[in-house]
Amino acid sequence: MTYDGLATSALVVHLLFLAYLALGGFLAWRWPRTIAVHVGVVLWGLGSVVVGYDCPLTGVESWARARAGRDVLAEGGFIDHYLTGVIYPERWLVAAQAALGVLVLVSWIGLWRRTSSAPRADPDAGHAG
């Protein structure tokens, strides 16, 4: 694989990660066991915003882009390079983060409502007692 290919692969994985962060709670409506993975992804994303630790995918992409002779990602990383100022104006960053948080919360509440109201199998059903 070339450095350009590696950079592109890191970009795609990063986009998929962010899509799963935003929508993984809704996937858990269909596959409830996946909620544990989604919680981990959300905690990682929240930590990267609150604590400010670097995402390894950003490091891989920047490293590969530099080796390929391309500009590295903006100082703020993937989100600052590809999303802020591109998908939404920079002044909307906090609103975009809040909207993402609300989306995750809605998906989790929906999952909780679906799983708490789902009929439970009766363990004694079919047994003569």
Side-chain angles (χ1 to χ4, degrees):
M1 179 180 287
T2 65
Y3 290 119
D4 261 335
L6 181 59
T8 301
S9 296
L11 169 106
V12 169
V13 171
H14 221 147
L15 284 172
L16 291 171
F17 181 89
L18 291 176
Y20 185 72
L21 187 142
L23 303 172
F26 295 106
L27 289 175
W29 289 18
R30 174 70 173 96
W31 299 287
R33 291 182 179 176
T34 65
I35 194 63
V37 174
H38 190 246
V39 168
V41 166
V42 169
L43 289 175
W44 177 269
L46 184 63
S48 70
V49 170
V50 173
V51 177
Y53 47 78
D54 295 330
C55 176
L57 289 169
T58 300
V60 168
E61 184 181 351
S62 284
W63 177 84
R65 288 171 64 96
R67 297 296 182 280
R70 296 169 45 198
D71 292 337
V72 297
L73 297 181
E75 186 176 320
F78 181 90
I79 291 176
D80 284 355
H81 190 86
Y82 292 110
L83 302 179
T84 305
V86 177
I87 303 295
Y88 52 83
E90 188 171 343
R91 67 183 182 276
W92 290 4
L93 174 61
V94 173
Q97 291 169 335
L100 179 61
V102 167
L103 185 65
V104 168
L105 189 59
V106 164
S107 74
W108 287 1
I109 290 170
L111 174 65
W112 175 77
R113 293 184 79 194
R114 291 172 71 90
T115 56
S116 65
S117 65
R120 304 272 189 242
D122 184 358
D124 294 325
H127 296 283

